[in-house]
Amino acid sequence: MPELPEVETIATGVHRQLRGDTILSVWFSRYREPFKTPPDEMAAALCNRRIRQVRRVGKHIVFDLEPTPQASASFRPRIQWTVHLGMSGRLLIATPRSPEMRHTHAVLHLGSGRELRFVDPRRFGRLSLEPGDFQGPGTEPLAVSLADFTALFRGRKLSIKAALLNQSLLHGVGNIYADESLFRAGIRPTRPAGRLTRAELGRLRTALRAVLRAAIRAGGSSVSDYVDAEGSKGFFQVQHRVYGCKGKPCRVCGMPIRRIVLAGRGTHFCPRCQE
DNA sequence: ATACCGACCTGTCAGC
DNA sequence: TGCTGACAGGTCGGTA
């Protein structure tokens, strides 16, 4: 389940491998779900583009594209192709001889002879064409100042957990890192976001940045493995302290970790350490 | 405007 | 063994 650290790791890996490569032709599956832009329009815009940069914005992977010298002069100079992996989306760099996995929904044929494949069994992923200034829906959690972070939650009645998941506030935080950062900050997920003290918001911002950075470091150690081949190895190196730990003793106080449903999501916390 | 909830999807796994 | 149902969750659209 790709959240900010996973998307960052994938974007970095794809950037390293594909920067400077060109898109010659594109194939899309028949499923319409992955396309926020009509497939024909997207295919026409992607062909004869050079990959200038691949990076992460929120949970989106953004391909900055520029025309190849051969492209017609009517091409817009710069466009962006964005990939959202949803729950189960993957990007694979393959050769034409690599067997095609089930649920492959897009294949970009590249000038180097390689292929970039988008595989997404559950089809929650989305592909989109952007005019060239894609910003994402919310604020970047790794760059937000304390003042801006505090302002995001002011006056809000929804739970802090739901607020962290709201991509139009902060983008990039998903269920795992919401739970993990709330645990590290000692804040119960059910607390109304607007009722948190300045001190608590400060702890939460610090915890969120720390856990995201640690996860990026962990994922970063196996970037090429992920992009090349099967695994999502790197992402399991992260030590979860509450997520998926229902009933296990809290690492700090020993109380059993509780699981409730909040904002429609499984939510994990320590009933003693988080108040 | 804000908040909440079901729908969308398929693979996995517990339980029978 | 093979089946059934619950569960996983990012995002969107409908509703209060």
Side-chain angles (χ1 to χ4, degrees), chain A residues 145-217:
Chain A
S145 69
L146 180 56
D148 290 345
F149 186 80
T150 304
L152 287 175
F153 305 111
R154 193 168 294 141
R156 298 202 173 262
K157 294 195 168 86
L158 80 175
S159 67
I160 185 61
K161 165 77 182 256
L164 286 172
L165 294 178
N166 185 336
Q167 300 296 295
S168 64
L169 298 177
L170 288 172
H171 60 194
V173 182
N175 202 39
I176 295 172
Y177 296 104
D179 281 5
E180 292 296 321
S181 60
L182 285 167
F183 173 77
R184 284 161 174 79
I187 298 167
R188 198 169 288 224
T190 48
R191 294 269 305 281
R195 294 289 187 82
L196 297 186
T197 65
R198 286 175 63 91
E200 286 171 329
L201 287 168
R203 293 207 307 269
L204 179 56
R205 174 172 168 271
T206 301
L208 181 59
R209 289 154 60 102
V211 71
L212 291 174
R213 288 218 180 91
I216 290 170
R217 280 197 299 278

Side-chain angles (χ1 to χ4, degrees), chain A residues 102-146:
Chain A
R102 282 187 68 185
H103 309 296
T104 297
H105 296 306
V107 179
L108 275 57
H109 304 279
L110 304 174
S112 63
R114 295 174 295 177
E115 296 178 356
L116 178 66
R117 301 179 182 176
F118 172 66
V119 180
D120 185 15
R122 289 169 68 179
R123 311 214 300 259
F124 284 2
R126 293 292 180 265
L127 310 177
S128 177
L129 213 56
E130 303 290 335
D133 56 353
F134 183 76
Q135 296 294 322
T139 303
E140 193 50 54
L142 288 176
V144 65
S145 69
L146 180 56

Side-chain angles (χ1 to χ4, degrees), chain A residues 186-263:
Chain A
I187 298 167
R188 198 169 288 224
T190 48
R191 294 269 305 281
R195 294 289 187 82
L196 297 186
T197 65
R198 286 175 63 91
E200 286 171 329
L201 287 168
R203 293 207 307 269
L204 179 56
R205 174 172 168 271
T206 301
L208 181 59
R209 289 154 60 102
V211 71
L212 291 174
R213 288 218 180 91
I216 290 170
R217 280 197 299 278
S221 63
S222 64
V223 169
S224 57
D225 285 333
Y226 183 83
V227 172
D228 280 344
E230 302 311 298
S232 46
K233 270 187 205 168
F235 310 147
F236 297 113
Q237 297 166 5
V238 181
Q239 283 294 327
H240 297 148
R241 297 186 190 170
V242 286
Y243 182 82
C245 298
K246 175 187 172 186
K248 293 181 188 166
C250 168
R251 284 168 48 160
V252 174
C253 77
M255 280 278 282
I257 299 299
R258 279 185 59 191
R259 179 189 184 277
I260 60 173
V261 175
L262 183 61

